[in-house]
Amino acid sequence: MSAPHAPHSSHGQRGTPSDGGSATAGSGSARTTTEGTVYTVTGGDWDEVVRSAAEADDERIVVNMGPQHPSTHGVLRLILEIDGETVTEARCGIGYLHTGIEKNLEFRNWTQGTTFVTRMDYLTSFFNETAYCLGVEKLLGIQDDVPDRATLLRVLLMELNRLSSHLVCIATGGMELGATTIMIYGFRDRELILDAYELITGLRMNHAFIRPGGLAQDLPPGAVDHLRELLKTLRANLPEYDKLATGNPIFKARMQDVGYLDLAGCMALGATGPILRSTGLPHDLRKSDPYCGYETFDFDVPTADTCDAYGRFLIRLEEMRQSLRIVEQCLDRLEPGPVMVADKKIAWPAQLALGPDGLGNSLDHIKNIMGTSMEALIHHFKLVTEGFRVPPGQAYAAVESPKGELGAHVVSDGGTRPYRVHFRDPSFTNLQAMAAMCEGGQVADVIVAVASIDPVMGGVDR
Amino acid sequence: MGLEEKLPSGFLLTTVEQAAGWVRKSSVFPATFGLACCAIEMMTTGAGRYDLARFGMEVFRGSPRQADLMIVAGRVSQKMAPVLRQVYDQMPSPKWVISMGVCASSGGMFNNYAIVQGVDHIVPVDIYLPGCPPRPEMLMDAILKLHQKIQGSKLGVNAEEAAREAEEAALKALPTIEMKGLLR
Amino acid sequence: MTDERRTGNGEQGAGGTDLPAARGDTGDVIRVQKGMFGANNGGDTTGYGGLVRTVSLPGASSRPYGGPGGVFDEIADELEGALEEQGLVPGNAIEKTVVDRGEITFHIAREHLVQVARTLRDDPALRFELCTGVSGVHFLGDQGRELHAVYHLRSLTHGRLIRLEVSAPDADPHVPSLVEVYPTNDWHERETYDFFGLIFDGHPALTRIMMPDDWQGFPQRKDYPLGGIPVEYKGAQIPAPDQRRSYS
């Protein structure tokens, strides 16, 4: 699909009379050009053939790309009506990864909810967790009680996550264009970031590390040094994408003026994130509606005014550099302290420690609750089996995920479980713009346009 | 699926079995069947650090008709199930299936209306790979175990015999619900 | 930690001079809880079985609404003024205004939803250009207005966020579509229809989007079971999460 196709107009006009039998029926007038002799074939039944080909509108072809197709970013189904190489109509079929996460959440307690939301858009786990936790904290009214260290670490993890998500976007986008080298580069750098996640949260993906009230755990020893090393490596690696792709004529030819969506289109379709910023509007929730103390960080919001896939690619590259800046500021500001709210009615009671059989409750804590404090035992039991109660009401918390505005609408009925959690996933909303970007373009450009939207089907379908 | 299935039982057949197994296991072509989180780890396995090319498997086929291994990587929804079966049916025999991750293996944490509770309801599975998502090392381990299985696979009358034995063993096997003992 | 919030202190982050919005009524009852722990199967072994409590959502607020720098009053004034200009009595369109947890919610009568949304989008002083979609909520206990559609509107011009809420009874699940005002709601409304059975009148193609086309029922309604199967292993059988004993 991704191979460049020769334009149609070059066919059918050349050809020597000797190899085409039908040309002898008509008159082939020859004229000499710089490229050699050109025969214009007319007469005979050619006029009729051309006319009937032009008139026959039942020749429209509907092509089903996906839901299982290597170039559609997961289980996205594209329904394209094509006329030759031109896409006349494009529609998306989604729902092939619908997981019922929002319903499943309603049967688990508030803390367990993070385990589910982290699997929605699996490339931006920390953003999902943060949006959900900010919503729950708003419902609980403890926004101001979340310790600074927890907030800083949330920002740090989110910005690392922005890097890893953009890297996958660029990697898979490159792969779908046929540029395997970019894919290898992207995954190489993503692995480095995943190593840091593994060091901090214990998992490569699906962390459930950010919890209502703070974090599951503090940084392990040596994490700050590891992160500083990582920053150094990434700083050295990021220019390679520039060298490899930014000025690459093939890359530019495939991406420039492809997937065009201007500001009016973005506003109408609700597109946010790099798509909106590629129209020149510097809208970023981190600046316009700051959360987690983003107003105190020093960073820029990159924009482009090309409205196309290439502009989005450049924005993603620049956002990665800005994320590195934010991570560095986080590391400079980190001070020892708690990472969970002091309220023992909300904070998960476990004090985790690394034992001989892996990570678990610290033996001191077990000794305390089992041996000395009846109240601690009761609290532990109640919090673990039942969870905490959240006063009835609803809240909406939005964060700027790598793909755009990620909002969590959290509703409580005063119980120990969420009554309803709805995620406004940017992939879902941005994917609506696919039709506007692709119609009238070529089939090969559909792939580029979809890759520049960067939809993750886990987020789209939830 | 040709002459080798018609061979008489005996020395010739076992020799052909070994040769065919060796050849088959050395060039397994996986079909891309990325669904969710596991698909990202599957791509990671194919990329630089883990380098699936070491096992002659770096070429993920876009078309199921050119593939003989389906790695079901991720949760299978009710809407995806018919598509998955169709892709499986399009693959030429002999073919194998790795169910990657708990969601594909048993539905995992998504025990609800939307997810098929185990891809073995739809296609026969050769290797179940736990994890959420499994690490790339685990996927490679599953692939190597599958290689062993392919190496030891039977042909012709031997295959029929093996299938009969497997079915008898399955009929006699104790259902999971009747097993006793510790839950592990 | 909960008391001052329960009384409706809705002006998180407001200046010291801003008074918290007072609550006009007690809010919509969404649930009646019996007993202490929410266990609903089996006998009462706790001794708290006679305890009956009603759970209600935060009720309507009265002026001033507060908000950061009094911005909620500003929005409400502008909206009411703009509606009056169009010859619409604001009290008919806006059923009530709730300020809770630093967010303002306008409950809109469903027949006026499109006009209100268009006003919010087009009025230069309001300018809520971006709709972040619709979220359905199904309150089984909220008699006569079980299905809620919740819209969050964001103004990039002024940097504000408000919430619109529309309700419809289960017996008549119709809400006007906002697609003509906010085209982005196309898929969002299809999703809410798919999960809650809310019919958005005027939507160009209201079909299922997530579930297969032939699916029966609307899976995220509260009266639709989770649909899990019991998990069995070595003599033990664990019911699906919605069949287990609950503490909610």
Side-chain angles (χ1 to χ4, degrees):
Chain A
M1 264 309 157
S2 56
H5 295 262
H8 267 209
S9 55
S10 65
H11 293 296
Q13 290 193 352
R14 279 196 211 171
T16 55
S18 58
D19 62 24
S22 57
T24 54
S27 60
S29 68
R31 82 198 144 87
T32 315
T33 65
T34 49
E35 291 186 356
T37 313
V38 172
Y39 296 90
T40 310
V41 183
T42 53
D45 56 7
W46 273 108
D47 287 337
E48 212 175 305
V49 170
V50 170
R51 197 175 340 109
S52 65
E55 278 171 5
D57 51 357
D58 60 335
E59 282 294 308
R60 61 167 221 176
I61 303 168
V62 177
V63 175
N64 230 322
M65 272 180 76
Q68 198 271 314
H69 189 280
S71 294
T72 57
H73 250 70
V75 283
L76 173 64
R77 176 180 170 207
L78 300 172
I79 304 147
L80 308 173
E81 186 186 301
I82 57 175
D83 177 16
E85 194 62 25
T86 311
V87 178
T88 53
E89 216 173 327
R91 292 290 178 269
C92 283
I94 61 169
Y96 291 94
L97 197 57
H98 175 58
T99 315
I101 291 178
E102 288 170 0
K103 178 103 176 171
N104 247 88
L105 268 177
E106 294 166 11
F107 297 95
R108 301 287 179 168
N109 66 34
W110 290 94
T111 307
Q112 287 172 318
T114 52
T115 317
F116 281 98
V117 297
T118 189
R119 283 163 174 79
M120 282 185 171
D121 184 341
Y122 36 82
L123 290 180
T124 61
S125 304
F126 289 119
F127 291 92
N128 301 340
E129 294 167 24
T130 309
Y132 171 77
C133 291
L134 288 178
V136 177
E137 283 158 13
K138 209 182 229 182
L139 281 177
L140 285 166
I142 56 167
Q143 299 109 307
D144 301 333
D145 304 335
V146 177
D148 286 344
R149 187 176 169 86
T151 306
L152 269 179
L153 286 176
R154 282 180 184 182
V155 172
L156 188 149
L157 289 170
M158 278 197 285
E159 293 305 323
L160 282 178
N161 204 170
R162 192 181 308 278
L163 274 159
S164 68
S165 170
H166 280 343
L167 283 171
V168 172
C169 171
I170 290 172
T172 54
M175 186 172 68
E176 286 156 11
L177 293 180
T180 325
T181 317
I182 297 183
M183 182 251 182
I184 298 285
Y185 276 33
F187 275 97
R188 176 199 65 186
D189 289 346
R190 181 174 178 270
E191 277 302 312
L192 299 175
I193 298 172
L194 257 55
D195 284 347
Y197 291 167
E198 201 177 345
L199 180 70
I200 295 169
T201 73
L203 294 163
R204 289 162 55 87
M205 295 170 74
N206 300 347
H207 314 275
F209 185 67
I210 297 169
R211 305 272 173 89
L215 303 175
Q217 248 185 296
D218 202 353
L219 283 184
V224 175
D225 295 337
H226 182 95
L227 287 170
R228 286 202 192 277
E229 278 301 308
L230 172 70
L231 286 188
K232 225 180 277 173
T233 320
L234 287 176
R235 279 247 159 74
N237 284 355
L238 279 185
E240 290 183 4
Y241 296 92
D242 269 331
K243 281 184 203 156
L244 188 64
T246 306
N248 187 328
I250 302 172
F251 202 71
K252 279 165 84 170
R254 287 299 305 277
M255 308 248 300
Q256 273 177 335
D257 299 325
V258 170
Y260 186 89
L261 191 69
D262 60 4
L263 182 60
C266 281
M267 294 307 332
L269 291 168
T272 47
I275 302 178
L276 183 58
R277 288 193 282 276
S278 73
T279 67
L281 185 75
H283 173 68
D284 190 318
L285 287 179
R286 294 178 290 173
K287 291 277 191 200
S288 67
D289 189 8
Y291 51 92
C292 290
Y294 265 112
E295 64 275 14
T296 60
F297 289 97
D298 181 27
F299 66 99
D300 301 326
V301 178
T303 57
D305 53 4
T306 53
C307 307
D308 62 357
Y310 186 64
R312 287 164 210 146
F313 167 75
L314 293 183
I315 286 175
R316 291 200 171 98
L317 275 187
E318 183 56 33
E319 279 187 6
M320 293 204 285
R321 284 185 213 113
Q322 299 297 332
S323 293
L324 286 183
R325 279 176 72 189
I326 299 176
V327 172
E328 193 148 41
Q329 292 171 47
C330 283
L331 287 177
D332 291 341
R333 283 201 220 164
L334 270 186
E335 277 168 19
V339 292
M340 194 61 166
V341 288
D343 191 344
K344 289 289 176 200
K345 298 258 184 206
I346 293 171
W348 192 250
Q351 269 88 56
L352 296 178
L354 198 60
D357 56 346
L359 193 69
N361 251 339
S362 80
L363 290 176
D364 285 341
H365 180 64
I366 293 174
K367 204 161 105 188
N368 181 31
I369 62 170
M370 298 302 281
T372 59
S373 171
M374 182 61 130
E375 281 72 27
L377 178 64
I378 293 173
H379 266 92
H380 188 111
F381 179 76
K382 288 281 283 181
L383 263 181
V384 172
T385 57
E386 187 180 322
F388 52 83
R389 281 175 192 278
V390 173
Q394 55 184 332
Y396 178 81
V399 298
E400 181 76 25
S401 99
K403 284 139 189 135
E405 174 172 349
L406 175 73
H409 177 227
V410 188
V411 185
S412 170
D413 70 339
T416 56
R417 301 159 164 195
Y419 191 74
R420 160 95 173 135
V421 177
H422 175 74
F423 266 66
R424 185 262 186 205
D425 198 279
S427 303
F428 179 75
T429 317
N430 293 353
L431 196 54
Q432 289 187 93
M434 192 281 291
M437 286 183 185
C438 298
E439 286 178 2
Q442 299 206 326
V443 178
D445 293 342
V446 172
I447 304 301
V448 180
V450 171
S452 80
I453 296 175
D454 188 23
V456 172
M457 298 318 287
V460 174
D461 295 342
R462 297 183 299 281
Chain B
M1 283 299 117
L3 190 62
E4 76 275 9
E5 299 283 3
K6 307 280 189 295
L7 290 174
S9 171
F11 169 71
L12 179 60
L13 183 56
T14 50
T15 312
V16 171
E17 267 171 7
Q18 277 176 14
W22 180 72
V23 171
R24 280 174 177 171
K25 81 153 198 196
S26 311
S27 69
V28 177
F29 277 20
T32 53
F33 208 89
L35 292 165
C37 336
C38 294
I40 306 291
E41 289 294 62
M42 184 168 78
M43 277 153 63
T44 311
T45 318
R49 184 187 286 189
Y50 297 99
D51 199 9
L52 211 50
R54 290 177 288 166
F55 309 104
M57 292 182 56
E58 79 277 21
V59 187
F60 280 79
R61 302 312 307 187
S63 165
R65 296 183 199 282
Q66 302 162 353
D68 51 8
L69 166 65
M70 183 159 76
I71 303 177
V72 184
R75 47 217 189 210
V76 183
S77 69
Q78 307 276 4
K79 196 170 177 175
M80 195 65 194
V83 182
L84 189 140
R85 178 69 208 196
Q86 191 175 2
V87 169
Y88 177 78
D89 287 342
Q90 285 171 349
M91 286 164 53
S93 286
K95 54 191 169 187
W96 299 275
V97 176
I98 291 179
S99 152
M100 181 179 180
V102 276
C103 301
S105 301
S106 72
M109 65 192 287
F110 302 112
N111 190 357
N112 63 18
Y113 63 92
I115 295 295
V116 175
Q117 298 298 306
V119 74
D120 48 6
H121 288 276
I122 312 167
V123 293
V125 175
D126 292 281
I127 304 271
Y128 295 92
L129 173 58
C132 189
R135 299 178 60 92
E137 291 96 330
M138 294 168 74
L139 178 60
M140 286 195 295
D141 179 58
I143 287 171
L144 291 179
K145 289 215 165 69
L146 182 70
H147 281 180
Q148 284 171 17
K149 182 175 174 171
I150 296 173
Q151 171 73 74
S153 60
K154 303 269 189 270
L155 290 172
V157 282
N158 288 4
E160 283 168 26
E161 181 64 27
R164 203 176 304 118
E165 278 171 14
E167 185 165 359
E168 269 169 31
L171 285 173
K172 277 187 213 142
L174 193 64
T176 326
I177 190 77
E178 285 171 22
M179 291 178 189
K180 295 286 179 271
L182 291 174
L183 287 176
R184 59 184 182 196
Chain C
M1 55 138 201
T2 59
D3 284 339
E4 71 276 17
R5 223 176 28 262
R6 284 215 170 115
T7 52
N9 181 346
E11 35 73 78
Q12 290 285 350
T17 55
D18 284 327
L19 290 171
R23 284 280 157 73
D25 63 4
T26 49
D28 306 315
V29 176
I30 50 167
R31 185 162 70 93
V32 177
Q33 175 156 3
K34 296 202 171 87
M36 187 79 168
F37 304 102
N40 46 17
N41 45 0
D44 173 32
T45 54
T46 62
Y48 287 102
L51 198 68
V52 178
R53 282 188 296 134
T54 55
V55 179
S56 51
L57 292 175
S61 316
S62 53
R63 300 269 191 161
Y65 296 139
V71 69
F72 292 164
D73 289 295
E74 212 174 291
I75 297 171
D77 289 342
E78 290 290 348
L79 177 60
E80 286 171 10
L83 289 179
E84 262 167 17
E85 271 173 31
Q86 299 171 35
L88 192 68
V89 182
N92 291 348
I94 305 171
E95 288 172 342
K96 64 177 171 184
T97 309
V98 180
V99 178
D100 181 48
R101 296 172 169 96
E103 296 178 350
I104 188 165
T105 310
F106 295 103
H107 289 254
I108 309 291
R110 53 179 168 167
E111 56 271 25
H112 298 298
L113 175 67
V114 178
Q115 195 179 354
V116 170
R118 193 182 294 283
T119 310
L120 284 168
R121 186 193 70 178
D122 292 343
D123 193 291
L126 296 165
R127 208 52 108 207
F128 287 91
E129 309 99 331
L130 187 67
C131 180
T132 66
V134 51
S135 158
V137 191
H138 190 210
F139 289 109
L140 267 185
D142 195 2
Q143 294 293 327
R145 42 203 304 279
E146 285 91 348
L147 287 163
H148 290 228
V150 184
Y151 305 82
H152 294 93
L153 306 182
R154 187 180 285 284
S155 166
L156 305 191
T157 313
H158 303 295
R160 297 166 178 170
L161 182 78
I162 59 167
R163 179 187 294 130
L164 300 185
E165 195 163 339
V166 187
S167 62
D170 259 345
D172 177 29
H174 288 267
V175 166
S177 166
L178 279 188
V179 173
E180 54 174 309
V181 184
Y182 294 111
T184 175
N185 271 19
D186 181 357
W187 282 15
H188 289 276
E189 288 180 0
R190 281 176 68 191
E191 186 192 346
T192 309
Y193 162 73
D194 195 351
F195 290 153
F196 291 92
L198 253 180
I199 298 167
F200 291 90
D201 297 317
H203 188 283
L206 197 65
T207 50
R208 287 195 179 272
I209 187 166
M210 292 296 180
M211 304 305 297
D213 292 338
D214 53 353
W215 195 263
Q216 299 281 320
F218 302 103
Q220 297 201 355
R221 291 167 69 105
K222 285 285 172 183
D223 47 9
Y224 191 99
L226 178 63
I229 53 166
V231 178
E232 51 188 49
Y233 190 69
K234 281 206 180 178
Q237 193 177 44
I238 299 151
D242 60 333
Q243 307 294 321
R244 294 178 202 163
R245 194 170 43 177
S246 76
Y247 297 98
S248 184

